[in-house]
Amino acid sequence: MLNPLPFFLLFITAKSFSTVAADVQLGSTLSASDPNSKWTSPSQTFTFTFITDPSGASSAHFAAIIYDNSPNIPIWIAGGSDLGAADSTATLRLLSNGNLELRNGSSNSLVWQSSTSGRGTASASLDDSGNFALRNATRSDIWSTFDNPTDTIVPSQNFTRNHVLRNGIYSFRLSNSTGNLTLLWNESIFYYNSGLNSSATVNWTSPSLTISPIGIITLSDLHLSGPLSLAYSSDYADATIVLRFVKLDNDGNLRIYSFGKGSGSKTVTWSAVSDQCRVFGYCGNLGICGYNETGPVCSCPSQNFEPVDQRDSRKGCKIKVDLQNCQGNGTMMQLDHTVLLTYPPESVADNTQVFSTGFQACKSNCLVTNPCLGSTSLADGTGFCYQKTSNFISGYQSPALPSTSFFKICGQPEPNPPVLSADNVKRDGWRLKAWIVVVVVLVTILGLILVEGSTWWWCFRDSPKFGGMSAQYALLEYASGAPVQFSYKELQRTTKGFKEKLGAGGFGAVYKGVLANRTVAAVKQLEGIEQGEKQFRMEVATISSTHHLNLVRLIGFCSEGRHRLLVYEFMKNGSLDNFLFTTEEHSGKILSWESRYNIALGTARGITYLHEECRDCIVHCDIKPENILLDENYNAKVSDFGLAKLINPKDHRYRTLTSVRGTRGYLAPEWLANLPITSKSDVYSFGMVLLEIVSGKRNFEVSAETNNKKFSLWAYEEFDKGNTEAIFDKQLSKNEIDIEQVMRAIQVSFWCIQEQPSQRPVMGKVVQMLEGITDIGKPPIPKGVTDGSVSGTSINASSISAFSTIAPSAPAPSSSSSVQTPGILSSVSARNTERASSSLLQSEAKSAL
Ligand SMILES: *[C@@H]1O[C@H](CO)[C@@H](O)[C@H](O)[C@H]1NC(C)=O
Ligand SMILES: *[C@@H]1O[C@H](CO)[C@@H](O)[C@H](O)[C@H]1NC(C)=O
Ligand SMILES: *[C@@H]1O[C@H](CO)[C@@H](O)[C@H](O)[C@H]1NC(C)=O
Ligand SMILES: *[C@@H]1O[C@H](CO)[C@@H](O)[C@H](O)[C@H]1NC(C)=O
Ligand SMILES: *[C@@H]1O[C@H](CO)[C@@H](O)[C@H](O)[C@H]1NC(C)=O
Ligand SMILES: *[C@@H]1O[C@H](CO)[C@@H](O)[C@H](O)[C@H]1NC(C)=O
Ligand SMILES: *[C@@H]1O[C@H](CO)[C@@H](O)[C@H](O)[C@H]1NC(C)=O
Ligand SMILES: *[C@@H]1O[C@H](CO)[C@@H](O)[C@H](O)[C@H]1NC(C)=O
Ligand SMILES: *[C@@H]1O[C@H](CO)[C@@H](O)[C@H](O)[C@H]1NC(C)=O
Ligand SMILES: *[C@@H]1O[C@H](CO)[C@@H](O)[C@H](O)[C@H]1NC(C)=O
Ligand SMILES: *[C@@H]1O[C@H](CO)[C@@H](O)[C@H](O)[C@H]1NC(C)=O
Ligand SMILES: CC(=O)N[C@H]1CO[C@H](CO)[C@@H](O)[C@@H]1O
């Protein structure tokens, strides 16, 4: 007779294990040649089986855990996608000693193993979370795929600082000290290092990164009361997404992917490095990264070089004639709009690697220096020259880059054949003209400086009154671009006691002044600044170190007691709004389409420089027609950049002012939704301005003509109907309009005002789109403008939700310590702004120059 007790026990055991069922028995085998051999999770969400190379590059087989039986979504690969390649008869065995082994069928050679033999493995199972674990008799994990990730993280997987994602030469880790997300090339070069700016307040003990099921990358720690959000996927909280995961791709970028139900394909919803060419070594040694219509492209610097592998341009290039066999015949080959990135970065302290010199000297110095393989001359006003001696050089070419690079070669330079298109030819002609203008302007300015300088010196050399000041106005100081410090008295005199007011911006009133050397200047009296003297000077230094044709130049400053003033170059033609939104009586002020297009392009270039190319990158935060000034030639110059950081967030006056600005319709939705402010917020504002440049109407204007809808929304509807003519300014005469340019501008503006920051292009891309270098797809409807009118200083909840898709249940996205004061403007905390500008821009931009 059966003893009832063991039977009962058996029953209990089976019952309690049924939730984790689908156990894999020791001795089980998966075989690549049998498509039906697989281990599945209890509800069949995940499957452990053999797949063929997901990239399609080879015929190799991989033992992988895949999602939803879909071979193109492997979330874990035995040995990783580089070392785990096996043949078509390979097997994966869970041996009775507890080791998991992948062997090639042909040679029986070991490809990969879990190294868990003799550690008491009693069972193994694949869970519905996607984790495959080997467990001992008391069901404690001995080894698991979550603890040994390859290149992917899925929700419910904890990624700690002991873990690494790898793909090829790239790896991803959490920094031990700061909890930052770091991406490395060859285990040594950081090209992305970004996280929360809270290192000062958090002592990380066990930081752990997760991708939440609604699509937010969060960081948790024992010390924190709750997880902190680091990155948002563009479709976060979208309920139709069934799986999200973070993956380190083989191009070195870390991305969040979404997999929608029934869509069968994955989409990218966030990338760590927004500019793929900024991924170190993306194009290999001596490869140059640039963009064509479809994406990043790798090429060789010139025909003096050849690809290492004809079939894979990412493998890099080699020089055809070795420099060592070239005594005396070396020359420098010039590449415009190119920077060379090397590792280790040249040390600014070492004046043989980085120094200030002219363009020609930067070229010739390298030619006579050994070892020097190339050099980069920055044309951003600093005149810095970087000498490249490293044995790994990675280049980046973009029409928006103001720098020129040189490669040392043997013999005559043989440039790459130009990509000839009618468009290019037109642009080249235009460029030549632009160059002539630039040269003429420069010569004129130099002449003027000399004449004025010597006249001035002649007049005042004997005047003791000016003796003290002359040092300040020395030519040398002007040439170095250092801002001049003025006394408050001096500026009072200059502006005749602040008499002639030019306007009142968000940061204070602006007055006209005439400097001692008769230069007309605009003097801005800052309000609401409570920063210390030192901080103010630092910001002034940052602002004045930005030199660009399309940025208003800072001449000097004053910091005395509580007075804080900035002195800018004076713009004859005032701000753009005066020209765009004029009434009939000033019809003399209508701008031609050509000027408008140049203003749009100039503005975009100025902002690109602020975002991507200057040394301390800046998010403007307040782009609007009032802040775009025009010189006598109607060149656009962006003003008021770098000021957002100076304002004390506790100053209520400023808040009020900001909220008034907010009503003007240029603020990106993330300002209202308390999301991090990034350079993409500027892109949004630029998009609104661009639409206004085309239409001559305020984007938030509501009238009967626009069916009582906000202009920007109505404009999209007309555009969608194909009725673009309705959008552009009636005051422009039809025959002078370049319809192709207008169409481009309209489409670009709709891309820029997309609600999701990640859908908006970066400014560099905007420049390329406007120039017609990059194709522009049809923009989707910008949801953010569908509702509208945010009025007054208070914004009600309904208008916030209309601006964002955050479900009410979604956790409030918060930075560690942003001040949670009631009212919408708590989001405009300087901290947010600072984080935006530092984490997203500096880390990328500074990584490898
Ligand atoms: C196993 O086979 C694959 C595909 O043929 C091959 O690439 C790999 O080098 C082999 N590995 C070993 C260890 O033999
Ligand atoms: C299983 O592993 C856990 C943790 O390592 C250990 O405490 C336990 O004793 C092990 N059980 C057996 C049966 O070895
Ligand atoms: C991840 O970490 C959290 C908190 O630290 C813990 O509750 C959870 O069980 C962990 N998940 C896994 C799969 O280890
Ligand atoms: C962080 O520290 C842990 C344990 O000390 C170590 O295993 C890990 O490799 C370190 N990670 C980095 C990125 O240095
Ligand atoms: C990566 O680093 C190792 C050791 O530092 C070096 O030997 C190797 O050449 C590097 N790889 C490349 C592609 O430069
Ligand atoms: C972090 O650690 C340091 C040194 O152990 C300690 O002085 C400091 O108070 C800690 N900070 C926090 C926020 O716990
Ligand atoms: C852009 O470059 C890629 C990679 O070289 C190429 O496959 C693609 O066809 C190019 N696209 C265009 C429009 O030239
Ligand atoms: C340098 O160039 C000249 C003319 O092209 C050639 O005759 C000479 O052999 C070259 N010298 C070397 C060292 O290559
Ligand atoms: C006049 O003085 C200011 C301040 O030093 C300087 O920036 C400006 O270039 C000078 N103008 C001329 C024409 O020299
Ligand atoms: C703009 O500048 C030009 C050139 O100095 C001048 O002729 C024109 O009158 C100015 N326009 C306005 C509206 O001030
Ligand atoms: C960590 O990230 C913050 C913010 O992104 C950045 O300011 C800081 O420099 C990073 N830390 C390191 C060590 O690079
Ligand atoms: C780079 C950056 O923005 N760092 C700031 C982080 O926060 C501390 C104070 O919390 C500031 O002092 C840093 O300047």
Side-chain angles (χ1 to χ4, degrees), residues 185-203:
W185 177 86
N186 201 17
E187 298 297 323
S188 52
I189 299 167
F190 289 97
Y191 55 93
Y192 181 78
N193 186 348
S194 175
L196 298 158
N197 180 19
S198 53
S199 46
T201 52
V202 180
N203 284 342

Side-chain angles (χ1 to χ4, degrees), residues 161-162 173-176:
R161 55 187 174 186
N162 301 324
R173 282 186 179 79
L174 284 184
S175 145
N176 265 349

Side-chain angles (χ1 to χ4, degrees), residues 455-505:
T455 321
W456 185 82
W457 177 78
W458 181 254
C459 295
F460 295 116
R461 69 194 153 142
D462 295 329
S463 159
K465 190 177 160 213
F466 284 88
M469 233 190 285
S470 62
Q472 284 181 12
Y473 293 140
L475 262 181
L476 198 99
E477 200 159 0
Y478 169 63
S480 76
V484 179
Q485 181 167 8
F486 295 94
S487 70
Y488 188 67
K489 259 216 164 104
E490 218 176 318
L491 289 183
Q492 249 175 343
R493 189 162 2 108
T494 305
T495 56
K496 302 208 180 83
F498 300 103
K499 211 171 90 201
E500 196 178 337
K501 194 161 170 177
L502 294 171

Side-chain angles (χ1 to χ4, degrees), residues 691 694-695 706-707 709-728 739-754 769 776-782 785:
L691 191 59
V694 174
S695 66
T706 63
N707 289 337
K709 288 179 183 155
K710 258 183 17 171
F711 181 79
S712 44
L713 171 62
W714 175 83
Y716 185 84
E717 288 176 0
E718 294 301 312
F719 163 76
D720 206 29
K721 281 189 243 161
N723 185 17
T724 15
E725 251 177 63
I727 303 174
F728 47 80
I739 192 71
E740 198 195 318
Q741 279 177 355
V742 175
M743 275 303 288
R744 274 210 298 269
I746 290 177
Q747 277 172 288
V748 170
S749 73
F750 290 135
W751 273 114
C752 291
I753 61 175
Q754 290 296 313
M769 286 163 132
I776 313 169
K778 182 172 188 269
I781 178 159
V785 299

Side-chain angles (χ1 to χ4, degrees), residues 60 85-87 104 107 109-111:
D87 62 17
N104 271 349
S107 56
S109 55
L110 185 68
V111 177

Side-chain angles (χ1 to χ4, degrees), residues 197-201 831 834-835 838 842:
N197 180 19
S198 53
S199 46
T201 52
R831 188 180 205 104
E834 212 164 73
R835 182 150 62 88
S838 58
Q842 289 184 342

